[in-house]
Amino acid sequence: MRRIIIPGIDIPAACVGFGTASIMGSVGKKRSIEALSYAYERGVNYLDLARSYGFGEAEKVVGEFVSNKRDSVIIATKFGIFPTKVPKIISLAKPIIRIAQKRSKFIKNMVRKQSSEVLNKGFYSVHDAKKSLEKSLTEIGTDYIDVLHIHDCISTDQLTDELLCFLEKCIKEGKIRTWGIASDIYSINSISSNLRLSPPVIQYQSNAFLPVIPESKVLNSFRIVHSPFGGATCKQRLSEVEDEVRVKLESWCSENIESNPPAIDIYKMLLLSSSFLSDKGLVITSMFDLKHIEFNIQTMTEKKYPVELIEKFIDILSGSKEVPNAAVGNVIEK
């Protein structure tokens, strides 16, 4: 699997990272540790966290997992969203809720809605950042965070120069290795245009359904993209057009690839599309099913599809007229 260097971090990162948002939410501790171990043993060493994940409990679980392997993993976490404390009765009922979610789509959607409503967003002051960072360090049981992201800020949020100075100070003190902004690309573009410093790292959603790329201010920031498979809504859309997409791709292959056209695997194409859109950056995906871990690693290891085919796939699935070079531009117009 391809390894990449994130600016400011000495450890090479695998090009696919482990998204931990479900830990201690829809996925319990035992299954989380099992999946983390399985992925780590196969080379996945980038763990994407946030102070809010798992109602504030995900960091502690990951901390237990990395306690004897801290020097070989890269830990990213985020500040700006504080989780509301879950009532004890609900916390005790989590195992039952997880089973119910698997059996009922209605309950799954209801839990997801309720989970988003208990989040307290918009805490970007120096005081809030310091409080969140110290809590993350304690929960994970580490002396430093590799990447500290400003979490889910929007264009109207005020990120002060004092906050940037605080982040720079944390780097000098060794509490963090680097910092970034994790939000949607439009907010990242807007916020970054008003900052004294461009964020060294940016994290946002970009995939074949909605292929977006940064504007000039953050063009040189290291890119981390997430949600390569697009989420539940996009999966439904894909199921409706999958046969049509495959026919178009196979037709394109027969016209443009002289010999041995590859058999099309739509889900491999989705993952590789996000990798392409990251411009040789890193792709974050949630993978608690061991088969999904194997699939992701295999896809990112083998060199099966030419870049031109991936571009064509994005073009077809997004409804775009043209797919620009992933190193320039902003959003692929529909």
Side-chain angles (χ1 to χ4, degrees):
M1 184 163 43
R2 180 169 57 88
R3 297 275 163 174
I4 49 185
I5 298 295
I6 302 171
I9 299 173
D10 295 332
I11 305 171
C15 58
V16 59
F18 197 113
T20 68
S22 297
I23 292 179
M24 300 309 290
S26 61
V27 182
K29 180 178 178 179
K30 182 179 178 180
R31 185 181 171 201
S32 296
I33 295 293
E34 180 185 34
L36 287 165
S37 300
Y38 194 84
Y40 174 78
E41 290 166 1
R42 286 154 182 78
V44 176
N45 66 337
Y46 187 97
L47 309 178
D48 178 66
L49 280 156
R51 179 81 284 278
S52 59
Y53 287 174
F55 302 96
E57 299 176 3
E59 288 182 326
K60 190 168 186 177
V61 172
V62 171
E64 291 182 25
F65 169 71
V66 304
S67 61
N68 61 346
K69 53 182 73 70
R70 182 65 184 93
D71 292 340
S72 59
V73 296
I74 299 170
I75 296 177
T77 195
K78 311 176 187 75
F79 73 90
I81 302 178
F82 287 113
T84 299
K85 188 173 179 61
V86 179
K88 189 173 182 180
I89 185 67
I90 295 179
S91 183
L92 292 172
K94 276 186 182 181
I96 298 173
I97 295 172
R98 290 181 191 119
I99 294 172
Q101 282 184 263
K102 291 180 181 179
R103 297 179 178 178
S104 170
K105 188 174 182 180
F106 171 77
I107 292 177
K108 183 176 182 179
N109 291 335
M110 182 178 69
V111 170
R112 183 178 297 165
K113 182 176 183 294
Q114 292 296 320
S115 297
S116 65
E117 289 177 354
V118 300
L119 296 175
N120 297 310
K121 300 183 178 182
F123 296 93
Y124 307 119
S125 70
V126 172
H127 171 78
D128 293 325
K130 183 177 181 180
K131 179 181 177 182
S132 184
L133 174 58
E134 294 299 333
K135 183 67 172 177
S136 292
L137 291 170
T138 299
E139 291 293 287
I140 299 170
T142 184
D143 295 327
Y144 67 95
I145 300 297
D146 293 289
V147 186
L148 181 64
H149 285 292
I150 304 168
H151 195 189
D152 212 23
C153 47
I154 59 177
S155 58
T156 55
D157 288 319
Q158 297 297 314
L159 303 184
T160 64
D161 195 54
E162 287 76 15
L163 178 61
L164 298 186
C165 290
F166 169 75
L167 295 171
E168 292 177 305
K169 180 182 177 184
C170 287
I171 293 174
K172 291 178 181 178
E173 293 177 347
K175 290 186 176 182
I176 67 174
R177 296 291 185 257
T178 190
W179 66 277
I181 298 178
S183 189
D184 65 274
I185 192 60
Y186 308 104
S187 295
I188 291 173
N189 286 334
S190 176
I191 290 170
S192 298
S193 65
N194 296 317
L195 295 179
R196 168 175 58 86
L197 298 172
S198 296
V201 181
I202 54 175
Q203 181 169 315
Y204 55 96
Q205 178 176 334
S206 187
N207 53 51
F209 298 101
L210 183 63
V212 295
I213 45 183
E215 289 182 343
S216 57
K217 177 71 175 182
V218 287
L219 194 58
N220 294 321
S221 299
F222 182 85
R223 302 181 203 174
I224 300 173
V225 302
H226 65 83
S227 305
F229 303 107
T233 302
C234 291
K235 284 184 180 180
Q236 175 61 36
R237 175 184 165 193
L238 179 62
S239 68
E240 296 170 356
V241 299
E242 187 172 351
D243 290 340
E244 178 186 349
V245 170
R246 184 173 280 106
V247 168
K248 288 181 178 179
L249 287 174
E250 289 175 349
S251 174
W252 184 91
C253 284
S254 65
E255 295 176 3
N256 293 275
I257 299 178
E258 294 182 1
S259 61
N260 299 321
I264 303 299
D265 185 318
I266 294 294
Y267 285 90
K268 286 187 177 183
M269 297 290 292
L270 284 170
L271 185 55
L272 292 170
S273 294
S274 283
S275 180
F276 167 76
L277 291 162
S278 77
D279 189 32
K280 300 181 180 179
L282 191 146
V283 180
I284 299 292
T285 183
S286 177
M287 42 185 172
F288 293 91
D289 186 311
L290 305 189
K291 291 181 180 178
H292 292 167
I293 296 173
E294 289 284 5
F295 175 88
N296 293 336
I297 292 173
Q298 180 186 0
T299 300
M300 299 297 273
T301 301
E302 64 186 16
K303 296 180 179 179
K304 186 174 181 180
Y305 302 116
V307 170
E308 295 79 10
L309 179 58
I310 296 170
E311 289 179 308
K312 184 63 179 178
F313 175 70
I314 297 171
D315 178 23
I316 293 170
L317 198 56
S318 66
S320 306
K321 294 181 180 179
E322 181 180 0
V323 179
N325 184 297
V328 297
N330 179 24
V331 59
I332 296 173
E333 296 293 343
K334 292 187 175 181

